[in-house]
Amino acid sequence: MTSTRPANRYSNDFSLKNIGGKALLTRAGHTEERDELIEFFRDDLLKWMTPEEAVEKLQELVREFQRNPKENRLKKIVPKMCKLHTDLLVIEAFYWYDEIFRLSTRRHVRPSFADLRHILNFAQMAACVPQVKLVTCDGDGTIYTHNQNIENREIVEPILSVLRLGLHFGLVTAAGYPGKAERYEQRLELLLSAMLEEMNAGTLPADVLDRFFVLGGESNYLLHASKDEAEGRLRLHFVPDEEWKTPQLLSWTQEQIAEVLDRGTAALHEACERLDIPVQTIRKERAVGIIPTEAVATVEDMDEIVMSVHDELFDAPVPFCAFNSRSDVWLDIGSKGLGIQCMLEKFGLVPAEALHFGDELYSTGNDRTARESCCTVWVDNENETPFYMRLLLQLIKHGPDGVPQSVKKAMNGPCKRCGSNGVLP
């Protein structure tokens, strides 16, 4: 039986919207704190067990999952559990974290989502660092503020250190600027200038440009850097698709892409109209997005729009990524997972040898697809990334056995370039 909307008992001029109710009641929400594994850890295991017992049980379930990914208890409890490309050293990570934050001594407050996110980050990094050869980072919210450029020198030094060690490094971003390499150069100007400075000083090896790349539009555009002697700076240039894309990506036709974008646009508009959210629509070559024009969209609204697109495109002819970027919703052709897979094949690497840093690993975020192709570290914002990059470098230097000391050094170690100290938020 369907209920009918009751008649307005008050004046026709009365509504919550007219008195600013929706803007006032709109809240930040907890989209960034949604993950099935962490929720199971927090809401089930830690509800009935001590922290020590909970991590031991989770470690047991994780290793059972690795032995048989299709048939195991964890898959039944967390149906959307993503691939694990390495072990997760959960028990060790808990004690490393506990040594600093004394989690086990709390009497009244259970570990928070953020506590558990950090513990699982430590567990993943300690397991994959011994073999890591490729490091990738999301852009917005990971190495620079949303819709801004790299302005914090504290992130530049760890990236340079990764390149000095002979590792590959790449920016993997949803931002798609077909034919406009200068837009990517603008966002990375501080990093590119620092790279050139060190190349000229001889502190970065000559092959560094072969190991640095930018992947734009999720998995649609690859850019490499070269030195422009006349201008005295590093310039980015697009790499032809046939030189790096997998056969799967090369097989997509313009007709298929247009179908996905057309149907996706219709789904975006239908959801926004249904939710009474005025928006601006932006259509690109391989993406379409909506940006609310008034501050009236809640977290739940944005997630509803994302899910509406997924419902409409259940039979899409090509892979896509629809995601809530906190301030807008986008539908992109391809995904970061597919883009990273292309780079793994290009460099002859396997998933366990790659580590991706991103702030949108929540259920409706676009970094989530990276889990299918490599190991991941979930940062909350661009201020956490320098800490985790420094931790990566400390782990490479000292190995997992030196993690407690490595964490402390990463938390307090000054940035060589800017001299500031970084503290885990």
Side-chain angles (χ1 to χ4, degrees), residues 66-115:
Q66 287 182 298
R67 289 193 297 271
N68 188 355
K70 294 183 179 180
E71 291 292 333
N72 59 80
R73 288 175 291 171
L74 190 55
K75 189 70 174 178
K76 293 176 181 177
I77 299 168
V78 186
K80 294 183 180 180
M81 180 74 179
C82 294
K83 290 182 180 179
L84 293 177
H85 305 289
T86 67
D87 191 9
L88 292 180
L89 303 180
V90 183
I91 295 174
E92 292 90 335
F94 169 76
Y95 285 107
W96 302 331
Y97 191 80
D98 191 57
E99 181 177 328
I100 299 165
F101 293 100
R102 296 295 187 264
L103 211 62
S104 61
T105 67
R106 291 183 190 170
R107 295 180 179 179
H108 307 290
V109 180
R110 285 189 296 163
S112 68
F113 188 99
D115 288 326

Side-chain angles (χ1 to χ4, degrees), residues 4 30 44 104 114 162 172 182 186 210 224 239 269 280 297 314 317 328-330 407 419:
T4 58
H30 296 284
D44 291 280
S104 61
V162 165
V172 182
E182 66 275 8
Q186 180 181 0
D210 296 329
H224 275 171
V239 179
H269 290 169
Q280 173 190 4
F314 73 96
D328 46 29
V329 172
W330 283 89
V407 172

Side-chain angles (χ1 to χ4, degrees), residues 96 127 143 159 173 207 238 249-250 381 423:
W96 302 331
I143 63 172
I159 294 174
T173 173
D207 69 340
F238 288 93
L249 273 65
L250 290 171
N381 53 60
V423 179

Side-chain angles (χ1 to χ4, degrees), residues 152-352:
N152 185 358
R153 287 187 173 273
E154 195 175 351
I155 189 59
V156 172
E157 178 61 31
I159 294 174
L160 296 177
S161 295
V162 165
L163 291 168
R164 290 190 203 105
L165 290 173
L167 306 182
H168 298 274
F169 178 83
L171 169 70
V172 182
T173 173
Y177 309 124
K180 298 179 180 179
E182 66 275 8
R183 294 290 300 277
Y184 296 103
E185 292 173 350
Q186 180 181 0
R187 306 199 82 171
L188 299 177
E189 181 178 0
L190 192 65
L191 174 60
L192 294 173
S193 297
M195 288 175 60
L196 179 61
E197 179 184 330
E198 297 227 357
M199 289 172 63
N200 290 338
T203 50
L204 270 182
D207 69 340
V208 65
L209 297 183
D210 296 329
R211 294 182 281 105
F212 174 80
F213 64 89
V214 176
L215 200 54
E218 311 280 4
S219 57
N220 288 299
Y221 315 107
L222 177 65
L223 297 93
H224 275 171
S226 62
K227 189 174 181 180
D228 188 320
E229 298 290 352
E231 296 187 15
R233 64 189 182 112
L234 294 184
R235 301 300 305 267
L236 295 175
H237 57 87
F238 288 93
V239 179
D241 290 353
E242 59 274 11
E243 293 184 16
W244 66 277
K245 286 187 176 180
T246 61
Q248 178 192 9
L249 273 65
L250 290 171
S251 70
W252 302 341
T253 67
Q254 289 303 317
E255 291 76 14
Q256 291 173 322
I257 292 169
E259 177 189 337
V260 171
L261 294 180
D262 290 344
R263 290 171 57 189
T265 301
L268 289 169
H269 290 169
E270 184 279 329
C272 292
E273 183 176 351
R274 171 163 44 88
L275 296 168
D276 193 21
I277 299 173
V279 297
Q280 173 190 4
T281 304
I282 300 176
R283 177 80 175 247
K284 297 185 178 183
E285 181 181 81
R286 292 199 167 194
V288 60
I290 56 97
I291 303 174
T293 56
E294 299 176 12
V296 296
T298 66
V299 167
E300 291 78 11
D301 287 336
M302 305 291 265
D303 282 349
E304 172 69 17
I305 296 169
V306 170
M307 297 305 179
S308 299
V309 174
H310 279 280
D311 278 351
E312 167 60 30
L313 295 175
F314 73 96
D315 60 348
V318 299
F320 68 91
C321 178
F323 62 98
N324 173 2
S325 189
R326 303 182 185 181
S327 60
D328 46 29
V329 172
W330 283 89
L331 163 65
D332 289 342
I333 301 298
S335 69
K336 289 187 179 180
L338 290 172
I340 292 171
Q341 181 182 333
C342 289
M343 303 317 295
L344 291 175
E345 294 195 16
K346 178 178 175 64
F347 298 132
L349 304 177
V350 297

